[in-house]
Amino acid sequence: MENRGKRIIVICAHPDDAELASAGTCVLLSKLGYRVKCVSLTNGNKGHYKGTKNEIAIRRYNEVQEVKKRMNCEYEILNNEDGELESSLKNRMEVIRLIREWQADIVITHPPYDYHPDHRQACLLVQDAAFLVNVPKILPAIPAIKQSPLFLYTRGRYVNPQKPQPDIIIDITPVVREKAYIIDAYESQIYEWLPWINQSKDIIPSTQEGRIDYILQKYVLERGKIRNEDRAIIERWYGNKAKDVITIEAFEICEFGRNVDEQDIRELFPLFQK
């Protein structure tokens, strides 16, 4: 109950980005009473090979409505064009608004070295907002946050060459099927667009049970594998329970947000073995 008021916002570029990288963490924190909000800074209207931009945007919007039910979260989609996200002043103010209105304790976004230009622009927007959310004269219509949130980067496709070890690792082993079920709501992406753009030869199962198993293997267990550089971090946070950790989500602390020590992290993530 002590975490009933805590709030986490995940600000990413496209519908499905937040869930692929952090749904397990969001589910675990939601079970502890955290309020969760996801944001897509674009409408995803070019993330398919069939249909008009408007048809694709509507389909992805409808998928998000299902995700809201499955993940027990709030969700907001901004009407920026997919593939054209810019770190403009207008978008920066939108990100400041989002963080302030949600009164976020934790803000999660893409890493700055990710593969997609929209991901990198989303990260830059969140970085640029990190200090300004505390400045009262910036966007004065929405009160500034008094205590800066903890800003985190998700694990991207590439390893940060300057900092190969993550700072925080969350054991999502207990909720891997829940994460797979959430991702399953993105039918247009998981079963159509991603296999097409990646020229995959995967055979997509026809039943929902088969599809959940497919996502579990390809998008949860595979992406949540423990790397060599993760092991010391897992032991730091989970102690003698580290041996039970199988599937993870990893995060790097963004230096532009709240400065935290180990006790702060344990209070924000009451999931770790003490």
Side-chain angles (χ1 to χ4, degrees):
M1 293 296 294
E2 67 186 60
N3 294 306
R4 183 64 60 186
K6 292 283 196 305
R7 288 170 169 249
I8 179 170
I9 187 168
V10 189
I11 303 175
C12 291
H14 311 104
D16 77 0
D17 285 337
E19 298 83 341
L20 285 165
S22 64
T25 298
C26 290
V27 168
L28 288 167
L29 292 177
S30 180
K31 289 175 186 289
L32 293 176
Y34 280 57
R35 294 280 308 280
V36 177
K37 181 171 183 174
C38 296
V39 175
S40 176
L41 296 179
T42 78
N43 57 20
N45 64 350
K46 295 170 190 161
H48 212 283
Y49 53 92
K50 287 183 179 178
T52 66
K53 290 193 297 181
N54 188 54
E55 289 168 342
I56 296 168
I58 290 171
R59 188 175 181 192
R60 300 192 75 176
Y61 173 85
N62 289 334
E63 290 170 344
V64 161
Q65 306 318 300
E66 180 62 26
V67 167
K68 288 167 64 175
K69 298 175 189 173
R70 297 188 185 191
M71 201 161 85
N72 186 32
C73 69
E74 298 296 318
Y75 217 118
E76 187 168 341
I77 302 173
L78 301 192
N79 197 31
N80 291 307
E81 291 264 331
D82 190 353
E84 301 180 23
L85 185 62
E86 294 180 332
S87 55
S88 64
L89 181 59
K90 175 179 178 294
N91 284 332
R92 184 194 302 168
M93 293 302 166
E94 283 289 275
V95 172
I96 293 169
R97 171 189 68 80
L98 287 159
I99 295 170
R100 285 183 179 177
E101 286 181 345
W102 193 245
Q103 290 291 296
D105 299 285
I106 302 168
V107 181
I108 297 176
T109 191
H110 300 284
Y113 44 87
D114 215 359
Y115 75 101
H116 196 297
D118 284 349
H119 292 193
R120 297 194 298 273
Q121 292 296 305
C123 177
L124 184 56
L125 284 163
V126 174
Q127 287 178 325
D128 287 349
F131 173 72
L132 298 179
V133 295
N134 303 113
V135 180
K137 296 297 184 182
I138 300 288
L139 204 64
I142 304 170
I145 289 180
K146 292 182 180 178
Q147 182 179 39
S148 182
L150 173 62
F151 285 78
L152 299 174
Y153 305 131
T154 62
R155 169 162 279 174
R157 186 173 295 189
Y158 306 113
V159 175
N160 182 350
Q162 274 77 47
K163 190 178 180 183
Q165 277 190 319
D167 295 300
I168 298 170
I169 286 179
I170 304 298
D171 174 19
I172 66 163
T173 308
V175 295
V176 290
R177 293 200 73 87
E178 289 178 67
K179 179 172 179 175
Y181 178 60
I182 291 164
I183 295 170
D184 167 72
Y186 288 109
E187 181 177 340
S188 71
Q189 303 302 293
I190 301 302
Y191 307 126
E192 299 170 19
W193 170 243
L194 290 178
W196 184 87
I197 194 67
N198 293 327
Q199 300 183 31
S200 169
K201 293 186 167 63
D202 289 348
I203 297 173
I204 305 301
S206 58
T207 66
Q208 186 179 45
E209 182 179 358
R211 289 184 166 196
I212 297 294
D213 287 338
Y214 168 78
I215 293 172
L216 181 63
Q217 292 300 320
K218 188 176 182 71
Y219 292 100
V220 182
L221 300 181
E222 181 64 30
R223 294 191 179 196
K225 273 185 178 178
I226 297 170
R227 302 173 181 174
N228 288 334
E229 61 267 24
D230 298 332
R231 297 190 184 280
I233 309 303
I234 294 172
E235 289 176 5
R236 175 186 180 186
W237 296 117
Y238 288 94
N240 59 15
K241 298 227 175 209
K243 62 184 184 302
D244 300 324
V245 177
I246 299 170
T247 309
I248 64 171
E249 289 174 348
F251 303 93
E252 178 184 339
I253 293 174
C254 167
E255 62 274 32
F256 304 139
R258 178 181 169 188
N259 291 320
V260 291
D261 58 22
E262 182 168 323
Q263 182 60 34
D264 294 326
I265 293 172
R266 290 188 183 277
E267 287 177 2
L268 285 167
F269 294 91
L271 305 163
F272 300 129
Q273 178 73 14
K274 293 186 178 178

